[in-house]
Amino acid sequence: MDSKVTQLRHQAETEIAAVTTQQQLEEFRIKFLSRKGLIASLFDALRSVKPSEKPALGRLLNELRAHTQGLYDHKAASLESVPKRRTPMDLTLPGRRSYLGSKHPLSQTLDEIKSIFVSMGFGIADGPEIEDDYHNFEALNFPPNHPARDTQDTFFLSDKNALLRTHTSPVQIRVMEKHPPPVRIIMPGRVYRNEAISSRSYCVFYQVEGLFVDRGVTFSDLKGTLVSFIKQFYGSGLKYKFRPTFFPFTEPSADIYITCFVCGGKGCKLCKQNGWLEILGCGMVDPNVFRYVGYDAEKYTGYAFGMGVDRIALLRYGIDDIRLFYENDVRFLNQF
Amino acid sequence: MKVLQSWLQQYIEFSLPPDEFADKLSKLGLEFEGVERTGEEYNGFVVGKVLERTQHPNAEKLSICKVNVGTGTLQIVCGAPNVAAGQKVAVGMSGAIVPRNQHDPSGKPLPLSTVKIRGIESSGMICSEYELDLGKDADNILVLESNAKIGKPLAEYLGVADIVYDIETTPNRPDWLSHIGIAREIGAIVGRKPKLPKLKLKEAAIPVSKHLTVKVQDTQNCYRFAVRMICGLKVEPSPRWLQNALKGLNLRPVNSVVDVTNYVMMECGQPLHPFDYALLKGKQIIVRQTKRSSSFITLDGQERKLPDGVVMVCDAEREVSIAGVMGGANSEISDSTVDIVLESAYWNPSSIRRTSKLLGVSTDASQRFERGADPDGVLYGLNRAAQLIVDMAGGELLKGVIDIYPRKVKERFVPLRPERVNLVLGTKLTTVQTVRLLRLLDIVPTKRGSKRLMFRVPSYRVDITREIDLIEEVGRVYGYDKIEDKTTATVDFAHFFPKESHADHVREKVIGLGFCETITNSMQETKKAILGGATPARISNPQNREMDTLRTSLVPGLLDVVARNFNYGNNDLRLFEIGHVFSRDESERPKLVENFLEEQRLCLLMTGMVAPRHWGSPSTCVNIFDVKGKVIDLLEQNGLDKGKFISYSTSDSLVENRIALEINGTYGGYLGLVRAEVLNTFGIGQEVFVAELNLELLAPTDKSLYEPLPRFPKVKRDLGFIVDVGISAEGLQKSIKEFSSGLLQGIELFDVYQGDQLPAGKKSLAFSLELMSPDKTLTDAEIDTEVRNIVTHVQDRFNALLRSVERST
Ligand SMILES: [Zn+2]
């Protein structure tokens, strides 16, 4: 068997030297290296040798195969470098693709919002979607039997005390319960409102909540920070205004409006003809909230803000139906 | 809250164009939802004077009129029998649209133009009250008052030209639910106080107490209860100005008495209720709670079930009104009413809200009471209404008021430290400036000190009880726009929170693996929600049955997405969702909210072709090993090489061929093929594979130290074994690993064969072994020895047959 290997090795070396064309090279490959070629037949013969000789002989054969393959590769490379005529390949055939992943437009919008606040020194916190009355309402200064609760359209669970959070604000409470000031965080998450489903509203949506508590935090700081956010997110040319409003957990409170970017402030369907879009609610944390979480309201002040991510994403991508976000048609998702 | 411009101007003069007016009010927090002009249907109609009337030459019933409309004289052909020279009439000019066409059966509007009627030119129309939608008479023209000014727009003449502002109010400001309340805010803008209507009451000699006694039993919830009586009045429709005012606010005029109570509520915010005195039994009014459940028919004709404990106004025998919410039909004002009792009260806000919620009724009155009406407005509203009723319906106002005031609301004084204003707002206001701003709202200092001032707050400002409430008012009146935008608050970098959640981290990795992110509703119908296996949490007030339960698994939501996409012909899907799943759990496990567990998960889903179709590759469908491979990729990307798969032959209600995953010794989720029965219920006719993992356990491990690269080359050997089909590849591989000396650095299964080439009940498994020593280049002999030992071990241990040994590259 050994001698056969040596003999074949010489034969291959002699024959490869004579190869000058691609066709001859292919004939060489078939003769020596193909599945029915000379080397393969030696491997077949390996089955009939004594087991004790097998490993050594196997090694020899593998070496022979590797050597012959090397001769072939080398010749192939040298033939390539000579200009020649060959069957033209159709290079217009499509390339081999993979499935591409995509990030949901709501996640993309959330990421953009997060990255701006993270760059301004905010951290990120989260909390549960099933909440209790205390965190969702009471500690946020919504007294029991107060009309302000009506604005929340709450889904309740079968246990009286449990509900689906109507805003991300309870995370404020959970964070302040655990951490003494200073606190500087944003809290993104899913919230629930029992509102009729339409192209403008869905029963589930996303909010980003923000909170900054420390000594000496003022309404003026709140304005500066959120104006910076608005400019980074929407562009610095945009007009904005802060207007008084009411939230139980902040005082003073404000709604922030920006010039409608569809009509540029002239009035259109989107902005209900008044030229402004409401994009953010904010205010100074109410001292009652500090009392609930055990912060000293004389020492510390703070601001909080919240915005609806779905609405921002609708405006940003010019989407006219909020339900598209939750239907997950891949023809929609693949656009982002 | 809707307000009328003309109504506001009774209390305060202002002349601002609507846009500017809206902007100024919005700076104070009153946002306009809409501005609407009324009386626009009378555009093109003016007051005219008939100068001359002559007979139409070609028609007996028609006349030709020359009409002065101020801007000129028009020739109009008119068919009404009552038209005469000298009359002041309503003229619709060419281009105007007549609200109702009397020749059209359904009374459709009619645009006017110059036409020839039986050969005579006619420019416009002299209108009947029917045509102007002011009454029923369609035959005669409407004759206006003789002093009407020629050329005056008809809308102005009729008093219907107005602007209606729809203002968004907030629940903390009940005082904004009235014209006077809005006028006060305008006062803060223009720097003048609104003038309230002067009251001049003429009372009869007989005191009201002679005809009526009032007892308040429920002093917990009735803070104040006041009544007056008017006797001998005549109930008729209200005058036009009052009807117009109510119509402008979308309120339906009823009769003079009822209309006045509504008008006064909209004027000063005090809800009032009139009773027909003749229908009150026993000349008595008693305020008490219902003692047992009963039923009661309210003014709107609805029968309502009253539970016990509802505060009611009663006569000597029965209930006559649900306090602060709605009156009863049994004591309603009618055309035959002669004597009335007028109620003005102040109720405990939370009691009114409880009743309103309990009965599912919200009225203009309950909305004001539950937010907190003005305790000092009780008598003003009562007197104002009494005066207007007497003015309109006649009758005598009995002497005095029965005013029971068991829970007197005290005058409110609130302290303020001027420095605190600047501390919260970031302003630099002086004390003088602060005081001046608050004075604009009638909040006046009573005690002055350098550090702490005391302010008296008007009774209607129920929202102001604390220093912060005053600070808000200062900021609001000063103007948020004037507060500087600055970012000088210090950031304490010593205290920080994480910058990224691991959900964010995992999301990026999964997208990199070629999956599309989805976001689905967490509320599902019960039969889907229970597929996850845990006890689900149920919503007690769901929108519908399709959304009455919270998901216990992310899989059903994703299957809905699959079904939807199949409908649009997209059958090759790789989807994922990161979201919370919920369950009820009454065990002792620690929870954030009692009885409920919540967990963040990642779900991967694969169905359809392994890769996009390509001319150069065979098309194959995904199977369980594609999902398994993706899970391993993900674990490895997160540095979790301790993942362990445990395959069970069993399946649960959701998946079969279930493989459980253990991460660092903890159960971390599962993967498998979704059961055909489940897919059927979603209408999916194609194999779907899923993996659902606990996100917390996917948290990337801390980066360990760098491992130096090996200095010596590795050698590869491929080993093929023939074994019984029952032997698991993983078990065999593990056994080789455990057996081998330190030289074996890696082992990988690369081929599995079962078929004709092998005896029945056998399969062949081919492994690729990597051998290496950290200290030297291995010699052939060393390699052969190691391989031989491994082969012998496998042969002995698994009764295996060696099929091949090959060097591989
Ligand atoms: Zn617009």
Side-chain angles (χ1 to χ4, degrees), chain A residues 260 262-263 267-271 275:
Chain A
C260 173
V262 171
C263 61
C268 69
K269 208 176 131 203
L270 180 67
C271 58

Side-chain angles (χ1 to χ4, degrees), chain A residues 59 96 103 129 159 195, chain B residues 508 543 584 617 807:
Chain A
R59 197 192 73 230
R96 204 186 304 274
K103 190 183 285 183
E129 291 173 19
D159 293 45
E195 284 171 3
Chain B
E508 299 296 334
Q543 278 199 352
R584 258 198 77 88
S617 328
R807 282 169 187 247

